[in-house]
């Protein structure tokens, strides 16, 4: 399992939201590259970058930040937010993303989903953002009536093998994950997934590792790292302590040279 430091970009700054509310934000760095470099210097093996402006507007707004982060840090980056067309996905990959995260369009445009999975396969993750047990879209501003488990199974039927599961109700609250919920997600995923939402202390990471779900490949952490509740090294050690001996525990290969 890999610890993924989160860099959420809003108005060109590295921020964190609470429960996805744009009006409830804290700015941690004026330049997202500064945040990225600090995480890499602290031992991060992969970065999770989200373009919040893109998620809200429907098209990428932080490609330049992605390009700088990918070229300056030297570690793989996964990038999402506003990737709702094949051209936008290509743009993100050309800017240096190792993997892309698609969300809203994966649920609204089946043709787009099929084309992006066919074109880029394992480099595509689908963001399953859940509020009240149902899928949330459009930068978490709209909630559908689609249960999370049903959505994951339908996506799997269309060839999606990698997911980022976010518990929006817990995001930014530092209160920890709902372990029963994570187990249910693991049962629905054919492939692998990352968990995100509410991590606030090392025991939360140990609890996730203790589930020993072989398809839980990593955990995205933001606010707890920014506020110094634990370091990246401590967080990674907590995940490694009970790491299952399986293929999903190995780091993703380094970013392709272009």
């Amino acid at each position: 399992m890999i610890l993924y430091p989160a860099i959420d970009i809003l108005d060109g700054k590295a921020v964190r939201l609470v429960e996805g509310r744009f009006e409830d934000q804290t700015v941690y760095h004026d330049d997202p590259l500064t945040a990225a470099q600090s995480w890499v210097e602290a031992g991060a093996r992969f970065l999770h970058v989200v373009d919040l402006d893109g998620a809200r507007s429907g098209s990428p707004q932080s490609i330049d930040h992605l390009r700088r982060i990918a070229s300056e840090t030297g570690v793989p980056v996964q990038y999402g937010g506003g990737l709702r067309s094949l051209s936008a996905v290509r743009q993100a990959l050309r800017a240096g993303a190792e993997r892309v995260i698609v969300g809203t369009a994966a649920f609204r445009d089946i043709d787009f989903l099929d084309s992006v999975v066919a074109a880029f396969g394992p480099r595509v993750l689908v963001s399953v953002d859940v509020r009240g047990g149902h899928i949330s879209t459009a930068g978490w501003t709209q909630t559908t009536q689609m249960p999370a488990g049903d959505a994951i199974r339908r996506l799997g039927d269309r060839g999606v093998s990698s997911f980022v599961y976010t518990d929006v109700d817990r995001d930014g609250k530092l209160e920890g994950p709902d372990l029963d919920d994570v187990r249910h997600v693991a049962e629905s995923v054919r492939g692998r997934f990352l968990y995100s939402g509410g991590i606030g202390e090392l025991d939360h990471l140990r609890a996730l590792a203790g589930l020993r779900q072989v398809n839980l490949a990593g955990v995205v952490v933001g606010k707890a790292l920014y506020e110094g509740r634990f370091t990246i090294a401590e967080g990674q050690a907590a995940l490694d302590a009970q790491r299952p001996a399986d293929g999903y525990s190995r780091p993703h290969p380094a970013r392709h040279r272009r």
Side-chain angles (χ1 to χ4, degrees):
M1 290 175 68
I2 298 176
L3 182 73
Y4 291 74
I7 302 169
D8 292 354
I9 303 173
L10 183 65
D11 297 327
K13 298 177 173 62
V15 308
R16 291 301 292 167
L17 309 181
V18 176
E19 294 183 42
R21 296 192 299 267
F22 284 87
E23 68 276 11
D24 193 353
Q25 63 171 279
T26 301
V27 176
Y28 288 102
H29 290 281
D30 287 336
D31 186 348
L33 176 60
T34 303
Q37 289 173 325
S38 70
W39 298 145
V40 173
E41 289 168 3
R45 296 149 57 184
F46 218 119
L47 296 173
H48 177 87
V49 177
V50 177
D51 177 357
L52 292 174
D53 293 300
R56 186 163 53 176
S57 68
S59 63
Q61 304 295 311
S62 297
I63 291 295
D64 287 342
H65 289 297
L66 166 63
R67 186 176 291 109
R68 292 169 63 227
I69 290 170
S71 64
E72 295 291 332
T73 63
V75 301
V77 178
Q78 59 188 30
Y79 176 87
L83 301 181
R84 301 179 192 174
S85 68
L86 200 56
S87 62
V89 170
R90 287 197 183 100
Q91 185 182 18
L93 291 170
R94 287 170 181 161
E98 171 66 23
R99 299 195 298 232
V100 291
I101 306 166
V102 297
T104 299
F107 300 98
R108 296 182 177 177
D109 187 343
I110 292 300
D111 290 339
F112 161 75
L113 177 64
D114 289 346
S115 63
V116 78
V117 169
F120 304 112
R123 300 182 72 185
V124 176
L125 296 88
V126 172
S127 183
V128 179
D129 304 327
V130 178
R131 192 191 295 271
H134 295 86
I135 296 296
S136 184
T137 62
W140 300 353
T141 61
Q142 300 173 19
T143 301
T144 71
Q145 295 302 307
M146 188 184 306
D150 290 351
I152 291 169
R153 285 186 285 272
R154 290 178 187 177
L155 290 165
D157 290 342
R158 303 202 76 86
V160 178
S161 60
S162 298
F163 301 85
V164 181
Y165 176 84
T166 300
D167 187 333
V168 179
D169 294 317
R170 293 173 180 267
D171 193 72
K173 289 185 171 181
L174 305 171
E175 296 173 353
D178 182 329
L179 298 180
D180 287 337
D181 189 44
V182 177
R183 286 191 191 94
H184 292 148
V185 171
E187 291 171 359
S188 300
V189 171
R190 298 195 302 272
R192 64 180 184 175
F193 73 104
L194 311 180
Y195 173 81
S196 176
I199 302 299
E201 57 189 64
L202 290 173
D203 280 346
H204 297 156
L205 296 176
R206 294 187 185 106
L208 286 169
L211 294 176
R212 301 186 69 80
Q213 297 290 340
V214 297
N215 56 355
L216 176 55
V219 183
V220 178
V221 181
K223 190 174 183 179
L225 289 173
Y226 284 109
E227 297 194 350
R229 289 178 172 239
F230 52 83
T231 66
I232 287 175
E234 290 169 340
Q236 187 62 60
L239 293 176
D240 288 343
Q242 301 184 65
R243 183 175 59 189
D246 70 273
Y248 292 116
S249 64
R250 290 192 286 271
H252 194 275
R255 177 164 32 91
H256 302 296
R257 300 295 179 187
R258 295 177 180 80

